[in-house]
């Protein structure tokens, strides 16, 4: 348990140190949550909360329905515009937040 606590605190400190740079902070948080086994929808939601993003306002500003924005975050809908907006808002690559799905049978 001590080793886990030490690793957790080390990574958490990197996130805190990067707070002055949103992209670095989000990259560190993304990698940290990924390493803990969080799913991509959970990571996207955590990053939105961490950045204080209001999804309702973001959707309204960019002319996307709130349902489309939420469903894109959850991964139940494929909206290129919503993906672009979320990635841009969080300062991360769209491919990281929304990796391409491989079709069954190898594509």
């Amino acid at each position: 348990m001590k080793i886990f606590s030490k690793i957790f605190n080390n990574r958490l400190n990197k996130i805190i140190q990067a707070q002055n740079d949103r992209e670095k902070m989000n990259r560190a948080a993304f990698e940290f949550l990924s390493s803990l086994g969080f799913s991509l929808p959970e990571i996207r939601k955590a990053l939105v909360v961490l950045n204080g993003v209001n999804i309702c306002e973001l959707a309204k500003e960019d002319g996307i329905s709130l349902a489309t924005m939420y469903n894109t975050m959850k991964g139940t809908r494929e909206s290129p515009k919503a993906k672009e907006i979320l990635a841009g808002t969080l300062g991360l690559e769209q491919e990281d937040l929304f990796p391409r799905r491989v079709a069954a049978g190898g594509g």
Side-chain angles (χ1 to χ4, degrees):
M1 190 66 167
K2 280 187 176 183
I3 189 78
F4 175 78
S5 179
K6 188 173 183 177
I7 291 169
F8 180 83
N9 287 332
N10 186 22
R11 291 193 179 177
L12 190 58
N13 284 334
K14 286 182 182 180
I15 294 169
I16 293 168
Q17 290 170 357
Q19 281 184 342
N20 293 334
D21 185 338
R22 181 175 52 101
E23 290 177 24
K24 283 183 182 178
M25 178 185 71
N26 288 337
R27 168 62 45 207
F30 181 88
E31 290 174 3
F32 178 62
L33 294 171
S34 292
S35 74
L36 293 176
F38 283 82
S39 68
L40 282 171
E42 292 170 324
I43 293 171
R44 291 188 289 258
K45 184 176 181 178
L47 291 173
V48 164
V49 171
L50 179 67
N51 286 272
V53 174
N54 184 319
I55 292 298
C56 192
E57 288 178 12
L58 191 62
K60 189 175 181 179
E61 288 173 9
D62 290 296
I64 294 177
S65 76
L66 185 58
T68 297
M69 191 64 82
Y70 274 117
N71 288 330
T72 299
M73 280 182 51
K74 290 191 299 186
T76 58
R77 181 170 181 148
E78 294 280 329
S79 170
K81 186 174 182 182
K83 289 178 180 182
E84 181 182 334
I85 291 165
L86 286 166
T89 300
L90 298 173
L92 295 172
E93 295 295 322
Q94 187 172 331
E95 294 76 25
D96 291 336
L97 291 172
F98 302 97
R100 291 182 182 250
R101 295 182 183 168
V102 177

